Amino acid sequence: MARLAYGGDYNPEQWPEEVWQEDVRLMREAGVTMVSVGIFAWSKLEPEPGRYDFGWLDRLLDLLHEHGIRADLGTPTVVPPAWFYAAHPEALPVSREGVRYGFGSRGAICHSSAAYRAAAARITERLAERYGRHPALALWHVHNEYGVPVGACYCEASAEEFRHWLRARHGSLDALNAAWGTAFWGQTYGDWAHVDAPRLTPSVANPAQQLDYARFTDETVRGNFTAERDILHRLSPGVPVTTNFMTALSQCDSMDYWAWGREVDLVTNDHYLITDGRRTHVNLAMAADLTRSVAGGAPWLLLEHSTSGVNWQRRNPAKAPGQMARNSLAHVARGSEGALFFQWRQSRYGAEKFHSAMLPHAGTDSRVWREVVGLGADIAALAEVAGTRTVGDAAVLWDWQSWWAQKLEWRPSQDHDARERADSWYEALFDRHLTVDFARPEADLSAYPLVVVPALYLTTEAAGRNLRAYVEGGGTLLVSYFSGVVDEHDTVHPGPVPGALRDVLGLTVEEFAPLLDGERVRLDGPEAPALTGDLWTEVVVPRGAEPVWTYADGPAAGRPAVTRHALGTGTAWYVSTRLGPAELGAVLAAAAQDTGLPDRAELPHDVEVVRRAGEQGAYLFVINHSGAEAKVPLDVPGTELLTGERVIGRLSVPPGAVRVLREES
Ligand code: GAL
Ligand code: ZN
């Protein structure tokens, strides 16, 4: 891509063809370069089994091409037509409670259904044969948001496939019995045929069985993606294939995106602001950083976000003036090669008619439209940024499988939430103006001065060795409680907790001591004020580590709360209670003294400062989320791409504005 992409989902099948002319005219006015089409169009493309109607899509792609707009062409396999389900009701997924879902929405798919797989392959082949070399085609968009709204299916076909998957994974029933710890509660299996999906059970279902089912589901769904991808590669060579992820932890929890990132030609993501009380621009930055990390640091593309409100939360605030551009350009700062929306023209009917769009019901005489046109111009002005990579300062370890394991029932505290810990640590790093790369626990971490580990409950032995080598080699590691506890089968590592991280942290945990609702503990440390923790404490026994903060009260009073362990040429820190983002900042500041991290204390609060760099140069993105003018000191002079001004010494960014400086080398 020689420029940044701009556009959105385009659903012309909802409109008479006369409207298409106005669409392309307005698309050009807004600077649209790419639209996603055909995602939900199976029933229009194949109105009866084997009878195809491609005429409208021929005309549409030609029209787009005439107007210089490229197509991200969907395979419509997220919604098979009603006739398909009439013939194959077994392709509708079954919930854990044993209830079969119905038709009339979207994404009602049993991913183990042979009939679904065959039908998806057929429509994908037809599309690839017909459009695989169309000049408008830029990208293939397989399916839509695999993993939501239904992840796992509990039908008999899925259970049968699970048994095959288990044989391949465990080899023998003895190995399965050992891995699942079936000696507990008398669950030992003597015949493969008796092994089942973890259906609704009277009490807690076997945790290792549940964890394997989550893995099986993820792999099965991914297998259906790669089957379509391979067809497209064969029939449409040279055209990249993607499927839109939802990396935000609030939006999809069932897909292991580390594995997915390796299977797509271009990582693409959908992101929506969630009004859950947290700062939305921080959540956005986190999702963008996670997406870039899933892409291995390479450029990726924001395929969907919203111009204003969504319509699927309890209350759906409209975006404030300027917020849309800040959101879009924050994704670009963190590696996106453009910004696309759901959707181009706001629907008049259906489930999402109150979801905002680029062209709203209000028409072109509206704030949203004027901002859409303005953003199109900004995106065009940033063309030269394309292909550069965002520069990360520190790594945060994230592992979807460990998250799945932590969601299982019957833990020391059911209120412990791995996602909340990741969010809070991320926020603390964001507020120190550090750009975060996420990394797998087994990844090479040696490039990072600081690695943060929020709640890595499931830690493999290999990950434990990796983290130890990282610290011995001079790294600074910061580990949160409930990490290093179990192996990949949800079995506690032998010996005292945290088995996989005992050596590197230089401590053992004698007992978990979670707190009741409303209880708080005080931590005395190197400097006033004291910190306060809640939810979780532990009886920590130092075995090489030294206490830095100590519990002043609570069940572990007098014991270490935050520790530091010097090992090799590095240090490993441990935080055994739940601290909020501001207080994690105090721990980060203490640990930062052990690192070569940049100190950005002089930068104003709620102002994002992120760098993208490549062969063509380096670009400093400054996004001012605050209500005051921000003054950002510059290392080098440069030219600001959105205003064209040359800037020396300090860059002034008005409240709510974005600036992008091409730095002089
Ligand atoms: C996405 C989905 C779109 C649209 C959008 C807005 O998750 O891919 O089709 O539904 O959300 O709700
Ligand atoms: Zn099924």
Side-chain angles (χ1 to χ4, degrees), residues 108-396:
I109 292 161
C110 164
H111 280 278
S112 296
S113 159
Y116 169 74
R117 286 175 183 157
R122 270 195 306 276
I123 187 72
T124 300
E125 278 165 9
R126 291 294 88 75
L127 281 165
E129 282 161 2
R130 192 161 186 102
Y131 302 112
R133 291 162 203 274
H134 194 285
L137 180 65
L139 181 64
W140 283 105
H141 176 299
V142 173
H143 202 91
N144 193 62
E145 294 178 343
Y146 281 108
V148 295
V150 184
C153 172
Y154 294 82
C155 78
E156 194 34 57
S158 295
E160 179 61 16
E161 213 170 41
F162 182 45
R163 284 186 281 275
H164 286 282
W165 184 90
L166 289 170
R167 277 176 194 257
R169 176 172 171 83
H170 295 285
S172 69
L173 261 190
D174 286 348
L176 176 126
N177 280 313
W180 285 9
T182 53
F184 190 80
W185 281 359
Q187 295 166 4
T188 305
Y189 294 99
D191 186 335
W192 281 104
H194 301 162
V195 181
D196 201 356
R199 298 177 194 284
L200 195 62
T201 43
S203 182
V204 171
N206 184 306
Q209 180 187 10
Q210 294 193 64
L211 190 54
D212 265 355
Y213 207 65
R215 292 179 176 123
F216 157 75
T217 297
D218 167 60
E219 284 182 33
T220 302
V221 174
R222 196 158 56 249
N224 285 354
F225 164 73
T226 56
E228 287 193 38
R229 178 203 62 194
D230 293 348
I231 293 169
L232 296 168
H233 279 166
R234 177 162 54 80
L235 297 175
S236 180
V239 179
V241 178
T242 192
T243 181
N244 47 344
F245 296 168
M246 285 200 124
T247 60
L249 305 182
S250 54
Q251 282 158 35
C252 178
D253 62 3
S254 58
M255 299 289 104
D256 180 351
Y257 286 122
W258 290 127
W260 282 83
R262 294 192 286 267
E263 302 293 350
V264 294
D265 299 325
L266 172 71
V267 165
T268 58
N269 198 49
D270 297 350
H271 185 264
Y272 291 93
L273 301 184
I274 303 285
T275 41
D276 63 356
R278 296 189 86 109
R279 293 147 75 204
T280 54
H281 59 280
V282 180
N283 292 350
L284 182 156
M286 178 170 167
D289 283 344
L290 190 48
T291 308
R292 180 185 68 257
S293 304
V294 159
W300 55 279
L301 182 60
L302 176 70
L303 218 45
E304 288 182 28
H305 67 318
S306 67
T307 58
S308 190
V310 299
N311 77 331
W312 33 258
Q313 301 183 101
R314 190 167 171 85
R315 299 188 185 196
N316 301 290
K319 286 191 181 176
Q323 191 179 7
M324 175 188 78
R326 285 198 300 282
N327 290 167
S328 294
L329 297 177
H331 285 288
V332 173
R334 293 174 192 274
S336 176
E337 295 283 90
L340 285 82
F341 295 93
F342 177 85
Q343 62 178 333
W344 162 250
R345 186 186 276 273
Q346 190 167 16
S347 305
R348 289 185 51 222
Y349 49 77
E352 301 204 283
K353 53 187 168 295
F354 298 117
H355 190 288
S356 60
M358 297 175 84
L359 181 55
H361 291 153
T364 52
D365 185 13
S366 61
R367 175 186 70 80
V368 165
W369 174 255
R370 284 185 284 275
E371 291 196 18
V372 163
V373 173
L375 178 59
D378 288 351
I379 295 271
L382 297 178
E384 62 185 86
V385 167
T388 55
R389 289 176 172 231
T390 301
V391 183
D393 297 307
V396 170

Side-chain angles (χ1 to χ4, degrees), residues 87-112:
H88 297 287
E90 80 286 359
L92 289 163
V94 173
S95 74
R96 192 168 180 210
E97 295 75 20
V99 178
R100 202 175 278 282
Y101 290 95
F103 179 74
S105 172
R106 64 169 167 184
I109 292 161
C110 164
H111 280 278
S112 296

Side-chain angles (χ1 to χ4, degrees), residues 15 30 61 69 71 151 177 182 197 208 340 350 386 409 425 466 525 564 603 643:
W15 301 91
L61 291 177
I69 298 161
N177 280 313
T182 53
L340 285 82
E409 306 88 338
W425 277 103
N466 188 44
R564 177 183 183 274
L603 293 177
T643 59

Side-chain angles (χ1 to χ4, degrees), residues 542-592:
R543 304 190 189 272
E546 359 143 351
V548 183
W549 274 270
T550 304
Y551 288 111
D553 51 21
R559 299 280 191 154
V562 177
T563 61
R564 177 183 183 274
H565 184 219
L567 180 69
T569 52
T571 49
W573 293 69
Y574 187 61
V575 183
S576 65
T577 185
R578 185 169 79 168
L579 302 173
E583 304 199 310
L584 290 175
V587 178
L588 268 176

